Amino acid sequence: MSEQHFDVLIIGAGVSGIGMACHLRRECPGKSFAILERRQALGGTWDLFRYPGIRSDSDMFTFGYNFRPWVGDKVLADGASIKGYVQATAREHDVERHIRFGQAVTDADWSSVNKVWTLTARNEATGEPVTYTANFLIGCTGYYNYDQGYQPDFPGAETFQGRMVHPQHWPEDLDYAGKNVVVIGSGATAITLVPTLAQQAGHVTMLQRSPTYLMPLPSSDKLALGLQKVLPDRLAYRLTRARNVAIARFLYQRSRKNPKLMRKVFLGIIRRQVAGVADMRHFTPDYDPWDQRLCVVKDGDLFHALRAGTASIATDHIERVTETGIRLKSGAFLEADIIVPATGLDIQMLGGIRPRVDGQELQLRDRVVYKNVMVEGLPNAAMIYGYTNASWTLKVDIAAEYLCRLMNLMDRRGHQTVVARDTENSASDETVLGSLNAGYIRRAADRLPRQGTHGPWRAGQNYLEDVKILRFDPIEDGYLEFDGKRTHARAPASGGFLRPLRSALFGS
């Protein structure tokens, strides 16, 4: 069993892992690091998912990294383009050579005596164990299970004579041309799949238990393209990014503060799209906007498919799956050659790793998260995951910057260890993924770490506030212990509100 030591070990070479590594290269150039990636390619989600039409559900001017402009007019980029962008970013910052592919991390144990993490990984090709040690551990694995998605137990599914395909494991040989396809679900994956499949399938039905709030969005941004023609790439990117951050934040805040008004706005937009071709009951959720994530419809393609008659929507419950389709509780029957259960994700933190401290397993569900980055009681460790109400990468960038600030401060002060301590018993029943009432979050409530009721333990899902907290507020705030000693809280950074606002919108 070989062993290798690094200053920092990053688990996962997706958007978060590559982003963290690039920030290390930029802000902590003296640190040695490695990225342990189970797959044989970088990209994470954008390498795993191969279903037709796979694309970003967030605009690329906020989904791109803050240090590397997304160039082009695509607002919602396809999966291959996103993976290419992440790969080019890794290459530009000399990160690729630091990735250890085919390494499935199975164990992570912190030693208070040696002040190091010891990770055991399995070489996916040979099955041989490999040991790594590090001073600091950063989990960048996202928050879902890469091995399997969530699929309910449909009565009679074993009798179905066609093919049942989960989007997370889309087969390359699936021929859906001219076939009857039923896509079960109403989330982002279903909204993407239905119009794409409808281009070749005989007919596609989206079967949903309840509707989702939808928002049509153009796939190209003429204003962004105009700015790129007359301004340097970085300035054009920052201006477009600032506009999109502000619009997204405004829509979210108005939805939370005045849900009745925003419900009318969203439903009014959809009513104009589907007038005369679909019943509005299929588009009228029984919850307020942003109780669940808003789904984007690229170029209104779903509505085009409905108008063309190549797709339809059924809002009903499944009674049972038969040999030739799905019988609904209303008595209706949907013929199907292919069934696609786009039924969501299976939540899993840290890639399923159960971290130990001095041999004792630390239960994440019993812990609160500090500044939405560090787990209470877990030394020299952090997790990076994105927002549920905004672009994933907005959070990746500022969380990575914070961790670089933290490690640089530890080096200057000669500290070897840091750990967040919740001495105020601030834990709440709410998970770190916030107040979204999505099914995949509810199903995982007993596995997710908690957020607190106040202070740095509260996960606000607010990018502008997080910029202030992670980029400007002092590291030594009285909640962190360095080498077993709690530091006194230092005064907040000066500059008022304008400095973090300007920084959030236009870059650090």
Side-chain angles (χ1 to χ4, degrees), residues 199-210:
Q199 295 173 14
Q200 297 183 33
H203 189 81
V204 181
T205 303
M206 187 171 85
L207 172 59
Q208 58 181 11
R209 288 188 301 178
S210 59

Side-chain angles (χ1 to χ4, degrees), residues 359-438:
Q360 297 295 313
E361 185 177 322
L362 186 144
Q363 298 289 344
L364 293 179
R365 67 175 180 269
D366 298 330
R367 301 287 171 156
V368 286
V369 175
Y370 170 80
K371 294 188 175 179
N372 228 10
V373 177
M374 299 172 69
V375 177
E376 193 271 335
L378 202 60
N380 287 26
M383 296 189 299
I384 293 183
Y385 47 90
Y387 291 112
T388 58
N389 64 354
S391 288
W392 180 273
T393 323
L394 289 175
K395 183 59 178 293
V396 170
D397 278 322
I398 55 176
E401 289 175 16
Y402 172 80
L403 292 173
C404 289
R405 286 179 62 209
L406 172 62
M407 287 184 277
N408 284 336
L409 179 140
M410 291 175 68
D411 288 346
R412 289 196 303 271
R413 303 277 168 81
H415 297 313
Q416 290 184 285
T417 64
V418 61
V419 62
R421 297 291 187 193
D422 177 20
T423 60
E424 302 168 340
N425 297 317
S426 68
S428 71
D429 291 332
E430 197 172 347
T431 75
V432 292
L433 296 186
S435 59
L436 284 187
N437 195 31

Side-chain angles (χ1 to χ4, degrees), residues 158-469:
E158 71 282 355
T159 68
F160 183 55
Q161 297 299 302
R163 295 190 68 172
M164 188 172 291
V165 179
H166 196 284
Q168 193 164 321
H169 302 286
W170 196 271
E172 293 183 4
D173 65 344
L174 183 64
D175 179 13
Y176 54 88
K179 304 289 181 63
N180 288 321
V181 183
V182 176
V183 177
I184 304 172
S186 59
T189 302
I191 298 300
T192 300
L193 267 171
V194 170
T196 305
L197 296 177
Q199 295 173 14
Q200 297 183 33
H203 189 81
V204 181
T205 303
M206 187 171 85
L207 172 59
Q208 58 181 11
R209 288 188 301 178
S210 59
T212 299
Y213 285 102
L214 306 177
M215 173 61 72
L217 188 69
S219 60
S220 63
D221 189 331
K222 293 181 180 179
L223 178 58
L225 195 58
L227 290 175
Q228 290 171 11
K229 289 179 179 178
V230 299
L231 297 174
D233 285 346
R234 188 169 296 277
L235 179 57
Y237 181 62
R238 286 184 172 181
L239 289 171
T240 305
R241 184 181 178 92
R243 179 201 62 182
N244 291 358
V245 167
I247 291 173
R249 189 64 198 165
F250 172 80
L251 289 175
Y252 178 77
Q253 286 183 319
R254 297 316 306 166
S255 295
R256 305 316 287 169
K257 292 180 179 178
N258 197 335
K260 289 184 179 180
L261 172 64
M262 294 308 294
R263 178 181 175 88
K264 289 181 180 179
V265 170
F266 288 131
L267 295 185
I269 292 171
I270 302 307
R271 188 174 289 109
R272 290 192 292 272
Q273 293 282 339
V274 303
V277 298
D279 193 320
M280 273 300 293
R281 72 183 182 88
H282 298 307
F283 303 94
T284 307
D286 59 3
Y287 56 87
D288 288 334
W290 276 110
D291 281 352
Q292 297 185 26
R293 191 176 173 99
L294 186 72
C295 285
V296 171
V297 182
K298 185 186 72 169
D299 293 323
D301 56 4
L302 174 64
F303 309 120
H304 295 316
L306 293 174
R307 288 195 291 268
T310 55
S312 59
I313 298 179
T315 303
D316 211 324
H317 287 72
I318 295 173
E319 181 175 287
R320 69 179 297 104
V321 178
T322 73
E323 292 182 358
T324 58
I326 300 175
R327 187 168 303 285
L328 305 177
K329 289 189 176 179
S330 66
F333 183 77
L334 302 177
E335 291 189 4
D337 302 300
I338 300 170
I339 296 175
V340 182
T343 45
L345 306 172
D346 179 37
I347 296 293
Q348 177 177 264
M349 301 300 287
L350 278 177
I353 302 165
R354 297 178 177 178
R356 295 189 301 270
V357 176
D358 298 324
Q360 297 295 313
E361 185 177 322
L362 186 144
Q363 298 289 344
L364 293 179
R365 67 175 180 269
D366 298 330
R367 301 287 171 156
V368 286
V369 175
Y370 170 80
K371 294 188 175 179
N372 228 10
V373 177
M374 299 172 69
V375 177
E376 193 271 335
L378 202 60
N380 287 26
M383 296 189 299
I384 293 183
Y385 47 90
Y387 291 112
T388 58
N389 64 354
S391 288
W392 180 273
T393 323
L394 289 175
K395 183 59 178 293
V396 170
D397 278 322
I398 55 176
E401 289 175 16
Y402 172 80
L403 292 173
C404 289
R405 286 179 62 209
L406 172 62
M407 287 184 277
N408 284 336
L409 179 140
M410 291 175 68
D411 288 346
R412 289 196 303 271
R413 303 277 168 81
H415 297 313
Q416 290 184 285
T417 64
V418 61
V419 62
R421 297 291 187 193
D422 177 20
T423 60
E424 302 168 340
N425 297 317
S426 68
S428 71
D429 291 332
E430 197 172 347
T431 75
V432 292
L433 296 186
S435 59
L436 284 187
N437 195 31
Y440 67 94
I441 294 177
R442 293 196 305 271
R443 289 191 299 269
D446 62 341
R447 285 171 272 160
L448 293 170
R450 309 286 111 179
Q451 61 172 299
T453 56
H454 61 279
W457 312 104
R458 182 72 186 163
Q461 298 290 324
N462 185 333
Y463 174 62
L464 297 181
E465 179 65 21
D466 283 346
V467 167
K468 173 185 176 296
I469 292 170

Side-chain angles (χ1 to χ4, degrees), residues 31-54:
K31 295 283 185 191
S32 64
F33 71 93
I35 305 173
L36 305 183
E37 169 57 51
R38 178 179 176 182
R39 299 175 65 77
Q40 293 297 331
L42 61 77
T45 294
W46 307 105
D47 179 65
L48 173 68
F49 284 90
R50 306 291 179 89
Y51 61 80
I54 174 70

